[in-house]
Amino acid sequence: MSAASCMLSEEQFLCSICLDVFTDPVSIPCGHNFCKSCVTHHWDVNDQCQCPLCSKVFNSRPELHVNTFISEMAAQFRQSAVKKSSRMSLKKNTNSGEVLCDACTESKLKALKSCLMCLTSYCETHLEPHHRISGLKRHELIDPVENLEDRICKSHGRPLEMFCKTDQRCVCQFCTESEHKQHVFVPMMEAYKVKRDKLVKLDTEIQQTIQERHLKIQEMKDSVELSRADTDREKLYSVQVFTALIRSVEEGLAQLLDLLEEKQKTTKEKAEGFIKELEDEISELMKRNTEVEQLLSTEDHLQFLQNLPSLNPDHPPTKDWTKVRVHSSYEGMVRSAVAKLEKKLSEEVKKQLELRRIQQYAVDVTLDPDTAYPFLILSDDGKQVYYGKKQNLPDNPERFSMTACVLGKQIISAGKFYFEVEVKNKSKWDLGVARGSINRKETISARLETGPWILRLMNGGDYKAVGGVLLSLKWKPQKVGVFVDYKEGVVSFYDVDAAALIYSYTGCNFTEKLFPIFGPCSDDRAPLIITPVSQTQ
């Protein structure tokens, strides 16, 4: 087929009534073409004889003759369509996915270029005429592509070179001089660059939005985890607070019941005393009554008068019992007990909140093995220490040689500092903070001015602070919290489970670095354990 015929589009050979390739095409007086059978049937079923496309009315039905030129062109188009279908099928069946040369008749070679004028892809051999013949040199060659007919204007059979910005579609040069004449258009490559830049920007925005969504999802997941951690922390805190409140309520109730019983006992003893007095009075009165009745029974005037002086004429002495009461009033006792309980509960909650406030300054403390007394055994993670067998360790300047203790690695030189240590199952221990310059080669003597500022357990139940201060505790602490306010010069010790302050050193003058200090003592093998602070916010 010639190059000219190749530029004809499928729409030019379709009947506008049946929408298929012309069969016996005929031309009517207005210039439009239809299948003879299609237009004849159209006129048969309508009252007027008019063109199906332009609606021009004819006074009489035109005489129809087959247009042989259009008929031949339609036949050639059918053949071309069959060949094209075979070629496309061949291209689709190749495993390589490459565009093949349309001019090769036997073994199809890989196409080197595609011609937008010929609508054909050529291998290097068949492309040679386009480099040699002057007429073919003017053809536009591009990298090999399939479906070349899609790059040709279906109205004019010309390459799509321009982009109509008004209709947002690709057009040929003829389109810009006809139906798109009043439109705004630019070269297709320019439109491609503009559209592509916008698409690249859109792609970047989409990718950024996707990333933002992923980050938001992760943020929400992290929030859920944080919420779970907060919930667990609040649940633990709630259990601690309400356990303390329940204990206080139970203690208050027990005290009230004891008070009521004591008051009842006092009332009973008082009543028994009064009853004894009354019984004594009754006995005396009955005795006097017997004497009076005996004298009254005497009818002998002389004997009556002679015996009368021996009888005391006065009424026996008795107590005025009209205002004596033994009933105890319990009015206000419960109210008073509840008021005391409310005050105690308020103080308990205040203690819990105070400990929680302090716990926010928690620091992850680990033991410094370079400072450990040779008999102290440290765990691998630096969180536990107990007294054991002597180890062969270098006697470096930092190591304690005369006192069984070890320092923590963390420095306290400003701000606030808090850590917790499990001390249960131990009968002796020392715990607190010490100056970095503490003499580690002599026996330590704790002093209020120079430290170390420690809390000490002795003999399994005697608690002592620096200066020989003995402390009276209701419960034996299982976990001790140590809080340091460097600026204010305060070192405080807390019973963590009871949320109770054990003791505070105040007015300390800190002028150098401080370190946590631990002394497990030699009386038992139970360790001192540095524990994570569960209430840290």
Side-chain angles (χ1 to χ4, degrees):
M1 192 186 308
S2 66
S5 65
C6 290
M7 292 185 292
L8 296 175
S9 66
E10 182 179 356
E11 293 179 356
Q12 294 172 291
F13 298 100
L14 296 182
C15 172
S16 59
I17 297 177
C18 66
L19 300 178
D20 201 356
V21 179
F22 287 124
T23 301
D24 296 330
V26 295
S27 299
I28 60 176
C30 62
H32 293 119
N33 303 307
F34 307 95
C35 295
K36 184 176 182 180
S37 59
C38 293
V39 71
T40 300
H41 180 265
H42 178 75
W43 287 340
D44 289 342
V45 298
N46 289 281
D47 296 333
Q48 289 182 321
C49 183
Q50 61 181 12
C51 175
L53 282 178
C54 67
S55 301
K56 182 176 181 180
V57 179
F58 307 109
N59 295 329
S60 59
R61 181 178 291 196
E63 185 177 357
L64 301 177
H65 299 282
V66 175
N67 188 322
T68 56
F69 175 76
I70 297 179
S71 180
E72 290 175 0
M73 293 294 291
Q76 291 183 24
F77 180 83
R78 287 193 186 92
Q79 294 176 1
S80 174
V82 172
K83 290 181 180 179
K84 176 182 174 183
S85 177
S86 299
R87 185 169 67 248
M88 294 300 295
S89 177
L90 176 62
K91 289 181 179 180
K92 289 180 180 178
N93 290 334
T94 57
N95 293 328
S96 64
E98 298 174 342
V99 178
L100 302 180
C101 176
D102 295 322
C104 292
T105 56
E106 296 181 358
S107 178
K108 295 284 187 178
L109 299 178
K110 177 182 176 182
L112 183 63
K113 291 290 183 180
S114 294
C115 179
L116 294 180
M117 301 297 289
C118 301
L119 294 183
T120 304
S121 296
Y122 297 106
C123 64
E124 184 176 4
T125 301
H126 291 104
L127 185 64
E128 188 271 338
H130 279 74
H131 296 307
R132 179 171 45 86
I133 301 174
S134 59
L136 297 178
K137 287 182 178 180
R138 292 193 296 270
H139 290 189
E140 183 177 356
L141 300 176
I142 61 173
D143 290 334
V145 293
E146 295 181 354
N147 303 326
L148 282 168
E149 58 276 4
D150 292 341
R151 297 174 175 272
I152 299 299
C153 177
K154 290 180 171 46
S155 300
H156 304 103
R158 301 291 297 173
L160 299 172
E161 303 173 306
M162 307 297 289
F163 180 77
C164 177
K165 298 177 69 175
T166 304
D167 290 344
Q168 292 293 301
R169 54 176 292 191
C170 296
V171 298
C172 69
Q173 190 64 39
F174 286 176
C175 290
T176 63
E177 298 171 358
S178 54
E179 59 263 36
H180 295 270
K181 187 174 183 179
Q182 303 300 322
H183 294 178
V184 178
F185 48 86
V186 295
M188 190 164 60
M189 183 56 68
E190 180 181 333
Y192 161 76
K193 291 180 179 180
V194 173
K195 296 287 186 183
R196 191 180 187 282
D197 290 344
K198 288 184 178 180
L199 200 59
V200 168
K201 182 179 180 182
L202 176 61
D203 181 63
T204 302
E205 292 174 352
I206 291 174
Q207 292 296 330
Q208 182 178 353
T209 304
I210 292 173
Q211 184 64 24
E212 290 173 353
R213 298 302 182 268
H214 281 306
L215 292 175
K216 194 64 178 179
I217 290 173
Q218 188 59 47
E219 177 186 331
M220 291 181 176
K221 289 181 178 180
D222 293 342
S223 296
V224 170
E225 291 300 319
L226 182 61
S227 176
R228 168 47 58 192
D230 289 343
T231 300
D232 292 341
R233 184 170 62 247
E234 290 300 320
K235 286 169 65 177
L236 179 60
Y237 171 66
S238 300
V239 169
Q240 291 177 337
V241 171
F242 277 84
T243 299
L245 297 182
I246 291 170
R247 183 171 63 243
S248 297
V249 170
E250 291 174 345
E251 290 175 356
L253 177 60
Q255 291 173 1
L256 177 60
L257 295 178
D258 290 342
L259 181 61
L260 291 172
E261 286 295 329
E262 185 64 29
K263 191 166 186 178
Q264 169 62 20
K265 181 179 178 181
T266 302
T267 300
K268 182 180 177 182
E269 292 175 351
K270 184 177 181 181
E272 289 176 347
F274 288 156
I275 291 172
K276 180 66 171 57
E277 287 185 49
L278 289 169
E279 288 176 344
D280 291 343
E281 285 188 4
I282 290 173
S283 178
E284 185 65 29
L285 289 171
M286 289 181 67
K287 181 178 178 182
R288 179 63 60 89
N289 183 58
T290 300
E291 294 176 352
V292 171
E293 286 181 350
Q294 288 178 353
L295 187 59
L296 289 174
S297 62
T298 302
E299 295 182 356
D300 186 335
H301 300 83
L302 178 61
Q303 187 178 3
F304 177 86
L305 292 174
Q306 288 177 344
N307 293 333
L308 183 62
S310 63
L311 179 68
N312 189 349
D314 297 329
H315 189 281
T318 58
K319 183 177 180 179
D320 183 7
W321 294 92
T322 57
K323 296 182 180 181
V324 175
R325 298 287 186 273
V326 295
H327 175 67
S328 297
S329 174
Y330 296 94
E331 183 179 356
M333 289 187 65
V334 174
R335 186 182 301 108
S336 175
V338 170
K340 291 179 180 179
L341 181 59
E342 288 179 348
K343 182 179 180 181
K344 188 174 182 180
L345 295 182
S346 177
E347 293 174 351
E348 189 66 40
V349 172
K350 185 177 179 180
K351 287 194 302 180
Q352 293 283 351
L353 293 175
E354 175 63 16
L355 179 60
R356 196 178 190 201
R357 181 189 66 81
I358 290 172
Q359 285 176 325
Q360 68 180 311
Y361 301 106
V363 175
D364 184 15
V365 174
T366 53
L367 302 171
D368 186 355
D370 292 337
T371 66
Y373 184 66
F375 284 84
L376 299 186
I377 311 299
L378 276 60
S379 62
D380 293 338
D381 61 359
K383 297 295 184 180
Q384 301 185 31
V385 57
Y386 66 91
Y387 197 97
K389 293 182 178 180
K390 184 176 182 180
Q391 304 173 85
N392 186 18
L393 300 174
D395 187 19
N396 50 283
E398 296 83 9
R399 190 176 308 283
F400 288 95
S401 300
M402 300 298 293
T403 306
C405 56
V406 59
L407 298 181
K409 292 181 179 180
Q410 285 64 36
I411 299 173
I412 311 169
S413 58
K416 299 173 182 179
F417 191 100
Y418 178 82
F419 62 96
E420 293 179 353
V421 182
E422 185 178 291
V423 296
K424 64 181 181 180
N425 302 323
K426 291 193 65 61
S427 59
K428 286 186 177 182
W429 47 259
D430 292 339
L431 189 61
V433 294
R435 297 182 305 165
S437 62
I438 186 172
N439 191 330
R440 309 179 191 194
K441 303 305 179 183
E442 296 180 359
T443 302
I444 296 175
S445 178
R447 297 173 59 190
L448 185 61
E449 297 79 11
T450 59
W453 296 271
I454 59 175
L455 181 67
R456 173 174 292 167
L457 170 64
M458 304 179 298
N459 306 321
D462 296 331
Y463 294 89
K464 189 176 181 181
V466 172
V469 180
L470 290 176
L471 309 174
S472 177
L473 305 183
K474 291 183 178 181
W475 299 282
K476 184 177 181 179
Q478 303 297 297
K479 185 185 292 185
V480 175
V482 182
F483 173 70
V484 179
D485 188 331
Y486 192 92
K487 180 180 179 181
E488 297 297 327
V490 173
V491 180
S492 299
F493 299 88
Y494 289 86
D495 181 341
V496 175
D497 295 327
L501 176 65
I502 300 174
Y503 186 78
S504 283
Y505 293 104
T506 58
C508 303
N509 184 23
F510 300 138
T511 58
E512 59 179 276
K513 297 177 181 178
L514 304 179
F515 293 85
I517 187 169
F518 308 82
C521 299
S522 59
D523 282 18
D524 56 59
R525 293 296 181 91
L528 288 175
I529 304 174
I530 302 171
T531 60
V533 178
S534 60
Q535 294 295 303
T536 301
Q537 296 185 2

